[in-house]
Amino acid sequence: MTIKQTLVACIALASSATVCSQTVTIFPTPQTVKWGLKAFDRPESVALTGASTADQDAVSMLLSHFPESNNGVKVTIGERGDKAVKNVTSLIPKHPEGYYLKVDKDGVIIAGADEAGTYYGVQTFLAVASQPEVMSVEIVDFPATPNRGVVEGFYGNAWSHANRLSQFEFYGENKLNTYIYGPKDDPYHREKWREPYPDDQAQRLKELADAASRHKVNFVWGIHPAGDHSWKDDDNQAIVKKFEQLYGLGVRTFAVFFDDVFGQQADGKKHAKTIDYVRKHFIKRHPDVKGLIVCPSLYNKAWAPSFQATYLEDLAVIDPAIKIMWTGNSVVDFIDVADVEWVNSRIGRKAFIWLNYPVTDFCVNHLLMGPTYGNEPAATSMVSGFTANPMEYAEASKVSLFGIADFLWNPKAYDADASWEQAIKALMPGHEDAFRTFCLYNVDLGQNAHGLRRLGESPEMKELIDQYEEAMTNGYSQEGADALRKEFTRLTYSATELLGSESNRPLIDEITPWLEVARLQGERGQAAVDMYEALADRADHRFIEAYKKYAALTDSASRITSRDFPGSIKVAYPMVGTLYAEPFLRRSVGKMEQAYKKMYNYAVDVFPTLPVENGSYHIKLDGAFLGNPDAEGEYPILQSVEDNVNPDRQVWRLTYVPETKGYSIVNAKDSRYLTEKVTFGKTPFDKEIHTFMLTPVGDGFVISNTANSRTTIWTLDKTGRLVPLRGKVKGAVFTLEPVK
């Protein structure tokens, strides 16, 4: 069963007998579908008419599922203008990429408005023909949004070659037609934008462009020159030269990114001149180039006051055929009509949407696996294209991208929950219940610089907390204990089932760290229930054993990492159930610990006395954020505002080191640790030297380090830089804000 298919129901035929017939729900949802009676049994083969003139990718896709045979089900295939489908010309929609599909007892007709339409018609027929009994059906279908797909534009570890090949197959199945290559940390996209790709990497890009084409995906290659562009012709020529290399590899659509640069580098007039140079010296010289896309520096409405007042108008003088990207009212936002009206009036064309969802480069410890909702259907008619920026976890991103594809194809019919349920079934067949449970514990983004939250996380757990927490705090509820134990056990079993599944190993391998944390969270919940029951039974020894188990499981979960390999750009510390389950556990265990201490003296030394728990924090001084300036900066710096472009620069991972009774402090952006000199470490981490003591002072902490038997304390020098000083000095008092 492919990702578009699911058995819906047995229907009663118009006869005296009730027959179990098999229709399918097709995703993306077609514009019109008319089902009839049974047409024939699932074909063993097909007899083709029109194959020689029809789109060959469509024909190959069909034959990859049903071999050709003179005795097979008759299938007529072709595009508008082909002799084979002449009789149904009037039924073929006039929309680009549209198709007409008819299945009845006499055979099958697949007629596309163009080559892509025929290919999509084949994909829909494969869904219709996925069941033992193939039903008669007539479908007229076309996309509501012209350019639909994905922009690989996140910070962090870029997708692998295998990831991208898998994505293109997925896009073809789900009728997404656009892929924009722009991973921020590909050096030849951004840092080394002037340099050509080495031969081996160039060959892989050619393979990607060819594979995308086979699945009717427009492979767009993007360059990001804005960081150090001179705005002179020699750098403009460098862009053209780089585009020529990619053109030679088969790329026919291009993009120029000016995003995430500021000040003098964010000049709309200079950007417009650069784009016009590229248009004249590259686009116009290659008639088969399909187009150019530009991502401006001012790419969302919230930033408008911080840019030149005329930035968008200055950029808008470029050729109206060139598309301009837009993320919405803010960096991370969903798209509505009012927002699109605002930007369209300033750029003089329909905006090309860059949706920053389900991307997690600003909340790397989370997976976003819930339903995709929040975009206004009417806005799709007001844009020239719509792409979603995904997670660096390519397979896990398919849960959301499935919904994106369904929404963009037919926004009026889009049902976020139904689409999400189908994605669950398609991605983990045979393990749907376990995968659904896991996904529901990975919905919210946690606290983040952009303020976007998704509140539909773990609804069963939320219902139990709402129903039982107050009663269990004020007394004893066996019913509540049993219900919570059952739910935590379900989480453990679901994660364990998925960890052992072979159904979709690429997906399981990606999310294994989160599955491990989910499994441990379920076990921690069961241990917490054990504590609750032991406390009620006045069984102090049993309570302590349950607490020790809970503490050990919690410590194990805090040490699980994702992408923690040499050369990794970002390391994640997976978080699960952060909206309801995790806060509930910590509240409950904290309350039970206090209750135990009031009742008993036995083994109270097992309870922690750590100043802070292991986790991710903002380190602040007088309201300023301690940040990592860039990959080359030697010293951390204090920044007056929260970074909403690359927020991980201001996130620090604190991990307790029992041997030194101090904490390692590691930046989330690039996993560099702080040394005893308050610099970023360039040598292997030494726990005896590179850990820090946190001494409570009021509502904050003084941070110090003891190396070579000398204690130094963090404070500020005259330039405002953090320095370690010895002797009787007054240390700066820092506050730590958990990043959840």
Side-chain angles (χ1 to χ4, degrees):
M1 184 178 293
T2 73
I3 201 159
K4 300 181 294 298
Q5 305 157 0
T6 183
L7 180 60
V8 176
C10 292
I11 63 173
L13 297 185
S15 66
S16 58
T18 299
V19 181
C20 184
S21 299
Q22 297 160 325
T23 64
V24 295
T25 297
I26 302 165
F27 287 89
T29 305
Q31 304 297 334
T32 64
V33 182
K34 296 179 181 178
W35 289 102
L37 306 180
K38 175 183 174 181
F40 43 76
D41 291 331
R42 188 176 191 277
E44 295 184 0
S45 60
V46 293
L48 292 180
T49 299
S52 62
T53 54
D55 176 71
Q56 293 305 293
D57 295 323
V59 172
S60 296
M61 179 60 66
L62 179 62
L63 293 179
S64 70
H65 289 74
F66 302 111
E68 192 169 10
S69 167
N70 291 334
N71 297 322
V73 169
K74 295 179 181 179
V75 177
T76 301
I77 188 171
E79 289 86 57
R80 184 190 305 278
D82 290 354
K83 182 179 179 180
V85 296
K86 181 179 180 180
N87 291 340
V88 296
T89 297
S90 64
L91 301 173
I92 302 172
K94 295 180 180 180
H95 298 73
E97 302 182 321
Y99 64 90
Y100 171 74
L101 172 65
K102 184 177 183 181
V103 179
D104 62 21
K105 59 183 178 59
D106 296 323
V108 179
I109 300 174
I110 304 172
D114 48 29
E115 289 83 358
T118 304
Y119 180 85
Y120 293 151
V122 167
Q123 292 285 4
T124 299
F125 171 67
L126 295 176
V128 173
S130 65
Q131 299 303 316
E133 293 182 346
V134 179
M135 305 303 296
S136 295
V137 70
E138 190 171 18
I139 297 175
V140 178
D141 200 11
F142 53 86
T145 313
N147 299 289
R148 315 165 303 282
V150 171
V151 51
E152 185 186 341
F154 51 80
Y155 292 90
N157 299 293
W159 283 349
S160 69
H161 192 66
N163 285 156
R164 295 178 182 127
L165 291 175
S166 174
Q167 288 283 312
F168 298 155
E169 182 178 358
F170 174 85
Y171 301 164
E173 289 180 354
N174 290 281
K175 305 183 176 76
L176 291 172
N177 66 359
T178 302
Y179 165 79
I180 303 176
Y181 181 96
K184 289 291 191 292
D185 291 295
D186 171 6
Y188 295 97
H189 161 73
R190 191 167 59 138
E191 180 184 348
K192 299 180 179 179
W193 63 269
R194 297 177 181 85
E195 301 179 26
Y197 278 99
D199 290 344
D200 58 337
Q201 295 187 44
Q203 181 58 37
R204 285 198 290 272
L205 285 168
K206 176 173 173 50
E207 291 173 9
L208 291 175
D210 291 345
S213 179
R214 289 194 298 272
H215 294 290
K216 304 306 176 193
V217 176
N218 185 22
F219 184 98
V220 183
W221 188 83
I223 193 169
H224 196 300
D228 62 352
H229 195 292
S230 66
W231 312 119
K232 297 179 181 179
D233 279 355
D234 56 346
D235 271 353
N236 291 336
Q237 291 166 7
I239 295 175
V240 170
K241 187 175 181 180
K242 190 67 166 282
F243 278 1
E244 290 288 1
Q245 182 192 27
L246 274 297
Y247 180 87
L249 300 175
V251 177
R252 291 297 180 269
T253 307
F254 297 83
V256 179
F257 291 178
F258 297 126
D259 58 315
D260 298 346
V261 298
F262 307 94
Q264 294 182 352
Q265 292 302 103
D267 187 310
K269 292 180 179 178
K270 292 177 180 178
H271 294 175
K273 289 180 180 179
T274 292
I275 294 303
D276 193 53
Y277 184 98
V278 172
R279 183 185 68 85
K280 291 177 180 178
H281 294 85
F282 178 73
I283 303 296
K284 292 186 71 174
R285 293 181 181 181
H286 295 288
D288 59 339
V289 166
K290 298 177 182 178
L292 183 65
I293 302 171
V294 176
C295 182
S297 298
L298 175 53
Y299 56 77
N300 71 89
K301 185 178 178 181
W303 283 4
S306 301
F307 280 76
Q308 295 171 337
T310 60
Y311 176 90
L312 290 176
E313 289 81 356
D314 291 342
L315 181 64
V317 301
I318 62 177
D319 188 299
I322 296 171
K323 298 175 175 62
I324 298 178
M325 304 191 84
W326 191 249
T327 68
N329 283 315
S330 59
V331 177
V332 180
D333 184 34
F334 293 96
I335 307 303
D336 59 35
V337 168
D339 174 38
V340 179
E341 287 177 339
W342 187 91
V343 66
N344 285 356
S345 67
R346 286 161 174 79
I347 62 176
R349 69 205 72 204
K350 291 184 175 181
F352 191 105
I353 298 302
W354 172 321
L355 181 75
N356 273 319
Y357 187 87
V359 65
T360 55
D361 58 5
F362 60 95
C363 55
V364 295
N365 298 331
H366 294 260
L367 291 179
L368 301 185
M369 307 292 282
T372 300
Y373 62 92
N375 296 299
E376 192 170 350
T380 57
S381 64
M382 305 167 62
V383 303
S384 60
F386 197 118
T387 52
N389 193 11
M391 298 182 280
E392 74 171 66
Y393 301 90
E395 295 299 316
S397 293
K398 289 179 179 178
V399 172
S400 182
L401 296 180
F402 186 95
I404 291 289
D406 193 20
F407 171 76
L408 294 177
W409 186 268
N410 189 349
K412 292 181 180 179
Y414 180 63
D415 182 325
D417 292 332
S419 188
W420 179 76
E421 283 287 350
Q422 179 57 23
I424 296 297
K425 296 174 183 177
L427 289 169
M428 282 303 298
H431 302 278
E432 294 93 336
D433 289 344
F435 191 48
R436 182 186 300 105
T437 296
F438 172 77
C439 288
L440 283 172
Y441 275 82
N442 291 274
V443 170
D444 188 46
L445 297 78
Q447 295 176 357
N448 61 86
H450 301 293
L452 179 66
R453 305 299 297 266
R454 304 268 91 172
L455 303 181
E457 188 173 279
S458 56
E460 293 90 347
M461 175 59 72
K462 180 182 185 301
E463 183 178 348
L464 294 178
I465 294 171
D466 291 345
Q467 182 176 356
Y468 293 114
E469 182 175 18
E470 183 177 357
M472 294 176 72
T473 300
N474 297 329
Y476 182 76
S477 169
Q478 187 63 54
E479 180 181 334
D482 292 343
L484 285 163
R485 184 186 297 279
K486 182 178 180 180
E487 177 61 18
F488 280 118
T489 300
R490 185 170 73 96
L491 178 59
T492 296
Y493 283 175
S494 295
T496 302
E497 177 183 331
L498 293 172
L499 285 166
S501 169
E502 295 299 325
S503 180
N504 185 347
R505 282 313 304 182
L507 171 60
I508 297 302
D509 290 344
E510 275 191 350
I511 66 176
T512 285
W514 278 268
L515 288 170
E516 292 284 7
V517 171
R519 179 181 61 81
L520 291 172
Q521 188 174 77
E523 293 181 1
R524 290 167 58 222
Q526 295 170 65
V529 174
D530 289 342
M531 292 169 59
Y532 176 72
E533 293 179 337
L535 197 63
D537 291 342
R538 304 188 70 82
D540 53 350
H541 286 67
R542 208 170 84 214
F543 180 92
I544 291 298
E545 290 306 308
Y547 175 81
K548 289 164 65 176
K549 180 179 180 180
Y550 172 87
L553 292 168
T554 301
D555 182 68
S556 295
S558 74
R559 298 179 186 278
I560 293 174
T561 60
S562 176
R563 305 292 167 104
D564 187 7
F565 53 80
S568 176
I569 295 169
K570 286 197 174 187
V571 177
Y573 292 82
M575 294 180 173
V576 172
T578 55
L579 193 58
Y580 301 117
E582 187 63 29
F584 169 73
L585 275 179
R586 293 184 181 273
R587 284 196 308 271
S588 300
V589 171
K591 291 174 182 176
M592 288 189 288
E593 176 188 334
Q594 294 304 314
Y596 178 90
K597 289 178 179 178
K598 291 179 180 179
M599 297 168 63
Y600 305 104
N601 292 320
Y602 170 71
V604 292
D605 58 336
V606 305
F607 299 118
T609 56
L610 301 181
V612 299
E613 296 180 346
N614 291 346
S616 297
Y617 294 85
H618 287 138
I619 301 176
K620 299 178 70 174
L621 178 62
D622 296 329
F625 294 81
L626 186 66
N628 176 359
D630 55 55
E632 301 300 324
E634 182 178 0
Y635 300 96
I637 59 176
L638 287 167
Q639 299 169 304
S640 60
V641 298
E642 188 170 4
D643 189 334
N644 62 4
V645 173
N646 204 333
D648 283 347
R649 292 172 178 163
Q650 296 175 340
V651 176
W652 302 88
R653 182 75 184 180
L654 273 63
T655 304
Y656 185 69
V657 180
E659 295 89 337
T660 65
K661 297 182 180 180
Y663 290 82
S664 64
I665 303 179
V666 178
N667 187 255
K669 171 64 174 68
D670 51 23
S671 297
R672 291 189 295 169
Y673 67 89
L674 293 184
T675 73
E676 75 283 6
K677 297 179 181 179
V678 199
T679 60
F680 286 111
K682 297 180 180 179
T683 59
F685 178 79
D686 186 333
K687 63 187 177 184
E688 298 297 333
I689 298 175
H690 300 137
T691 55
F692 299 87
M693 313 302 146
L694 304 181
T695 304
V697 176
D699 295 330
F701 299 91
V702 169
I703 303 177
S704 61
N705 169 272
T706 301
N708 301 319
S709 300
R710 295 184 297 181
T711 298
T712 58
I713 299 175
W714 287 16
T715 188
L716 299 180
D717 66 11
K718 294 180 180 179
T719 68
R721 182 172 67 82
L722 279 180
V723 293
L725 295 181
R726 298 197 312 271
K728 295 182 178 181
V729 297
K730 185 177 181 180
V733 179
F734 296 85
T735 56
L736 302 179
E737 295 181 349
V739 178
K740 299 179 180 179

